[in-house]
Amino acid sequence: SEPFSNLPSICTALFEAKAAKGLTFEQIGNAIGRNEVWVASAFYAQAKLSKDELNALAQTLDIDQSSLNAELGEHWFPRRSIGPAIPTDPVIYRLYEGVMVYGNSIKVVIHEKFGDGIMSMIDCEVDIQKKPTDKGEHVVLTFEGKYLPYKKW
Amino acid sequence: SEPFSNLPSICTALFEAKAAKGLTFEQIGNAIGRNEVWVASAFYAQAKLSKDELNALAQTLDIDQSSLNAELGEHWFPRRSIGPAIPTDPVIYRLYEGVMVYGNSIKVVIHEKFGDGIMSMIDCEVDIQKKPTDKGEHVVLTFEGKYLPYKKW
Amino acid sequence: SEPFSNLPSICTALFEAKAAKGLTFEQIGNAIGRNEVWVASAFYAQAKLSKDELNALAQTLDIDQSSLNAELGEHWFPRRSIGPAIPTDPVIYRLYEGVMVYGNSIKVVIHEKFGDGIMSMIDCEVDIQKKPTDKGEHVVLTFEGKYLPYKKW
Amino acid sequence: SEPFSNLPSICTALFEAKAAKGLTFEQIGNAIGRNEVWVASAFYAQAKLSKDELNALAQTLDIDQSSLNAELGEHWFPRRSIGPAIPTDPVIYRLYEGVMVYGNSIKVVIHEKFGDGIMSMIDCEVDIQKKPTDKGEHVVLTFEGKYLPYKKW
Amino acid sequence: SEPFSNLPSICTALFEAKAAKGLTFEQIGNAIGRNEVWVASAFYAQAKLSKDELNALAQTLDIDQSSLNAELGEHWFPRRSIGPAIPTDPVIYRLYEGVMVYGNSIKVVIHEKFGDGIMSMIDCEVDIQKKPTDKGEHVVLTFEGKYLPYKKW
Amino acid sequence: SEPFSNLPSICTALFEAKAAKGLTFEQIGNAIGRNEVWVASAFYAQAKLSKDELNALAQTLDIDQSSLNAELGEHWFPRRSIGPAIPTDPVIYRLYEGVMVYGNSIKVVIHEKFGDGIMSMIDCEVDIQKKPTDKGEHVVLTFEGKYLPYKKW
Amino acid sequence: SEPFSNLPSICTALFEAKAAKGLTFEQIGNAIGRNEVWVASAFYAQAKLSKDELNALAQTLDIDQSSLNAELGEHWFPRRSIGPAIPTDPVIYRLYEGVMVYGNSIKVVIHEKFGDGIMSMIDCEVDIQKKPTDKGEHVVLTFEGKYLPYKKW
Amino acid sequence: SEPFSNLPSICTALFEAKAAKGLTFEQIGNAIGRNEVWVASAFYAQAKLSKDELNALAQTLDIDQSSLNAELGEHWFPRRSIGPAIPTDPVIYRLYEGVMVYGNSIKVVIHEKFGDGIMSMIDCEVDIQKKPTDKGEHVVLTFEGKYLPYKKW
Amino acid sequence: SEPFSNLPSICTALFEAKAAKGLTFEQIGNAIGRNEVWVASAFYAQAKLSKDELNALAQTLDIDQSSLNAELGEHWFPRRSIGPAIPTDPVIYRLYEGVMVYGNSIKVVIHEKFGDGIMSMIDCEVDIQKKPTDKGEHVVLTFEGKYLPYKKW
Amino acid sequence: SEPFSNLPSICTALFEAKAAKGLTFEQIGNAIGRNEVWVASAFYAQAKLSKDELNALAQTLDIDQSSLNAELGEHWFPRRSIGPAIPTDPVIYRLYEGVMVYGNSIKVVIHEKFGDGIMSMIDCEVDIQKKPTDKGEHVVLTFEGKYLPYKKW
């Protein structure tokens, strides 16, 4: 679970502290008041923690608060988007395959239901649920993003 | 709305018939008993219609049934995954960006909630809903896929 | 001035009619009530014309209104983003070079002035002005886009 | 906010000193007599500071002047253009998307307004302003570059 | 036999211990109750060992059990898929060439024998046998994967 | 089932004749004395049919023998390896993923069992079997290739 | 000598007329008052001919003046930069190799002789001379471009 | 001015000694009897210095002669061609753009003036001159390479 | 044996005439006084035939001499280097693999035996011989190219 | 002459010992009973030395035998194929260019002389000779590889 090498070194410390404490992202999310997927993205330096969240995180993981602030504090800003351009890990590739196979269909249905615009990936929430079924467990992955119509001028 | 050039030529005919009839994918979906996203993916040759679905589609769009069968019938099989490897259309790119920004987080949460495995993109449903909110409309995009644990041997 | 081959064939007709009429994009823009850059992007199938705009365009260019509607009407939707991924035409490459040389600086200043978010390229206007100076003419290119803060959840 | 690994190590020191001092690029720009975007590009080793600017910068950030000169002095020259060829950070990608979606339109309007030539990215200024509107804040990003006609011979 | 640099450092230790002990993957596989190909993939961090398997492995290779657990234990999860996207090592390239030359044929025969679906690479076993023939030794490489039909919805 | 555009046009005719006749590759293989995977690869111009095989194929599919010989006869030679360098169709991608995930393991086990050499993909047979199990059907895909040791000189 | 397929079709006509007339680029250059390299670049649609030059060219090559104006007239503008991004033709590759081997040296010497700026490729002339020497003929290829210092702001 | 990381570490020492001494490449070139561009290419490990040149260089820069010989002596050979395949630094990109825009024209004029062959980049000299003009300074960049006709056999 | 689509259409005619006549490249080579590999490269538009060779070829293949001259005559010049940048056909890939596996070794041995220079691929002959051995036939492929030392200046 | 960074560190030691001893690859080859090209490829970790060859090498270069065995002994296996996928060093690029220009010709002549098969690069010898001629020295580079016909099944 070591993060990518071009991320702030504090990320490794976060993952290690989490492993040492034996906490899940859900538990950490509850402790700082955020969804588990968002918390995981903060661990990968893909989201920015507020001052209060940093403090809560330091307390939850028994990490030194000042070093957390020194690396991920107010002045810090995320370089989002990590990993190879065409993902190769099977879990992430399946998501990419979903974009390649269903992307045009999603686009055309969004156009039909909403108009000429996009689903924002900035004003967007990502959620994962476990759903038991007769034939085994299902992963329910939801993106809920604001619809943004193209401006004309 | 002309489909990609390396798709069967019948796809263009499907899009043109749909435009001429003024039907939405939702309406066509209702007519043949399938979800609108799935229907759109069939229009892009990314899914395979059964004999009954081909007949219902021919009737709904007033397309010649035999030519539909000749191009997309039993012997036909989809070449899935279309468009450039790194999507450039803004709607589809946002989905790709979602994979690049949140892919590792989704992977680590799936691992935590389910174990060492993946969310299937084969045994998977894709759904789009429109959700009104105070600050405008939201697109709710859901992937529900079976969890597949890695086999050991 | 022939457009790219994977654009609707009507685009070629638009460019040819414009050349035959000897009109500038500014003049066409005035005629249909839109900025010249936006009009040019519609000629390249990068923007969607409303019914009224299509009619005004047909009249301005003496193009058959029904064929314009048949190709670019309500059912049509743009596939945005054309040309090679790394632009090679010198005019467009200079813009790309601007992104490569100043992109990080723009990002860090946006972060400092606005916070953790982006400048929208959807809710955005693009404008070009000619500005005479002592040392020759300047091109003044402006992007004005809405600031979108990252959602937390 | 650690800069890219192939930049002079002094760049990291600059960012750290700025964070420690709690200064914005605008404040540093005022102190050395330069625009904030240009200053940020100098921090990313994308612009060359003069001797006077280096001295003013050393004073403003309480950095050792001689080490600043040793790394970024007269003999030093920038290797411009950093980051992946197709940007992946969402802020920078939106700029790239602007080039991909509007690049041809910008080219054709420049051709129409100026002639067969380019907007220089060397003899060019970049500026960012915050503009409040009814619907939220806008980022106003301006490139002002000299028009250069193609030489014939 | 040093593994790839972006793998957990314990992987190098595993390969070195194996070399020092002079054990084959087949022998290690027998010791921990797994197939030799699967064991090799675990050495390359491409599979996840259970607690019992980790213990058996530590014993077999005389490696410290706690450091093995610290690096590859419960919290750890594999980033699968290593090496260049187009393999260049001749042994691995031949497998890739097999996919490029026979991939479409395999796809069309699977479609014909099973229907519209795929062979799972998750619920899959890989096996290698040596088979002597008159003209020399043959490598018999088998992939046995579950057939997964495409879901419709 | 139309083959790739850069293949001989006779390939399309072969697929169409097969569809019209309603024959499987297994049936065609039996008719010309070859395995179904090999026959499919010949349909994709990835293998070379002998004179006798061409005649048997012409008879089986009721295709004109002379045009078959004119396109695929003695003078013709295959350009092997078709489709994008990184396969995107899910069925073929899974095979590619198998190479990316298990390639190094296969290499190291071949080295251990055979020595410093490769499994030939030229002197090689590919076979697909359907195997029913308690939990559904399995695809059994086998590559049997000659072991070739590296020459020293 | 057929030009690239994405160039205006008139380009082929120019090359064919030149071949039919048996004229060299030097002769055509003399006839229209331009350097032979510039004329060749106009044949490849990499430069824009003025009205007078188009007329002189039409007369020199016995080409219909109106069709020349229809395709390459006032409204037309070049899409410059043709061929693969990494040239493969040996003649052009050698030039590319010159950039790869000597590019950094040229950059550092320009910096030393001129300052922080570039050699313009827009305000630039290209010339080719044949120079006999004792050991055979030399090609003397000269780029003479304006020096442009980086603007500061 | 630190050279690329995959060059011999002595290269950094050369650049640093040159900066400390405050010498230009022209001055060093005069001291060792070589052109300044060639000397710069030797600093970038793109050319091979003879024993005498190494000694003269050591003396000129006050560098230890034996360590220079140990790294760049008789046994050493250059790996030529550095930097990204598509150059991104603006100075070097302009040269690349010259190849992309004028490459075909240069090729066709060479063919016309010399025959079926190339301009050698091995038996070639590169020179840079500063030329003052009314409108500012010009960079005059010359490649003089031997013409090599294609051998027939 | 149809050549690549971006080659002159006469190339297809050459291959077809050769097939119709049932001639080998060796026989054609003997008829026009050239090596069979060189003749094959001329068929692929990778070499330039002289006037006499064109006439001899027209006679040998019963092809119309004037159309051969119209397409491949004096004014014509080859665009050399065809096929994908990383070859995928197994025969050609093996040659590429030879470059990837032994390229550095060849370079270092050339350096040792000849000095700082290259083996010319322009002043070079390529030859293929069949050599019977006890263990089957060998292909003997020889490149004989002039050694070119790097010029210093 | 430092080898590539992803090779075993012993490779650097081999090159350094060779330089210190002042031995050529030919001399080392004679000492261990192998061809100089093969020896060079072993130095680049592209070939596997036997136990006897390792011992002879250790003795010839005065290298510690046990460390040589520890790094390149029985358990070690080469990862063949090094350097960038499209070679950029001029010496190696010329070989690559040979594949790009003559690859199809070589393929078609092999097909004509041998049948549907390949020249093995595994069961293959590479040799370099210096050949004096009237016009200077020639490099004679020979690949002698076994012909492998495609298996049918």
Side-chain angles (χ1 to χ4, degrees), chain H residues 10 13-23 28 31-32 43 53-68:
Chain H
I10 191 75
L14 289 177
F15 277 101
E16 284 171 358
K18 174 179 173 298
K21 285 266 172 181
L23 293 172
I28 300 173
I32 72 166
F43 271 56
E53 289 157 357
L54 281 170
N55 291 351
L57 190 62
Q59 215 167 350
T60 308
L61 295 176
D62 272 343
I63 284 192
D64 179 47
Q65 191 168 315
S66 64
S67 74
L68 205 57

Side-chain angles (χ1 to χ4, degrees), chain F residues 60-73:
Chain F
T60 309
L61 295 176
D62 272 342
I63 283 191
D64 179 47
Q65 191 168 315
S66 64
S67 74
L68 204 57
N69 271 291
E71 287 224 43
L72 298 177

Side-chain angles (χ1 to χ4, degrees), chain G residues 18 24-25 36 85 89 96 105 107 112-113 130-131 135 137-139 141 143-147, chain H residues 18 24-25 36 85 89 96 107 112-113 130-131 135 137-139 141 143-147:
Chain G
K18 175 178 173 296
T24 65
F25 281 112
E36 64 191 326
D89 179 88
Y96 171 76
S105 308
K107 173 183 162 71
E112 203 162 278
K113 278 181 125 93
K130 183 191 274 192
K131 175 176 162 185
K135 299 185 178 167
E137 295 171 332
H138 279 200
V139 184
L141 170 64
F143 292 87
E144 176 174 343
K146 200 183 176 198
Y147 169 70
Chain H
K18 174 179 173 298
T24 63
F25 282 112
E36 64 190 327
D89 180 89
Y96 171 74
K107 174 182 162 72
E112 205 162 277
K113 279 181 125 91
K130 183 192 273 194
K131 175 176 161 185
K135 300 186 178 166
E137 294 169 333
H138 279 199
V139 183
L141 169 65
F143 292 88
E144 177 175 342
K146 199 181 178 201
Y147 169 71

Side-chain angles (χ1 to χ4, degrees), chain B residues 5-80:
Chain B
S5 65
N6 56 346
L7 298 181
S9 58
I10 191 75
C11 291
T12 306
L14 289 176
F15 276 101
E16 284 172 358
K18 174 179 173 299
K21 284 267 175 182
L23 293 171
T24 64
F25 281 113
E26 197 177 23
Q27 291 169 321
I28 299 174
N30 289 340
I32 72 168
R34 289 272 165 235
N35 177 287
E36 64 190 329
V37 178
W38 190 88
V39 171
S41 73
F43 271 57
Y44 279 114
Q46 302 295 293
K48 183 165 180 175
L49 295 145
S50 70
K51 199 163 188 180
D52 287 354
E53 288 158 358
L54 280 170
N55 291 351
L57 188 64
Q59 215 167 350
T60 308
L61 295 177
D62 272 343
I63 283 191
D64 178 47
Q65 190 169 314
S66 65
S67 74
L68 204 56
N69 270 291
E71 288 224 41
L72 298 176
E74 185 57 26
H75 66 288
W76 178 80
F77 54 96
R79 278 210 206 99
R80 285 178 172 93

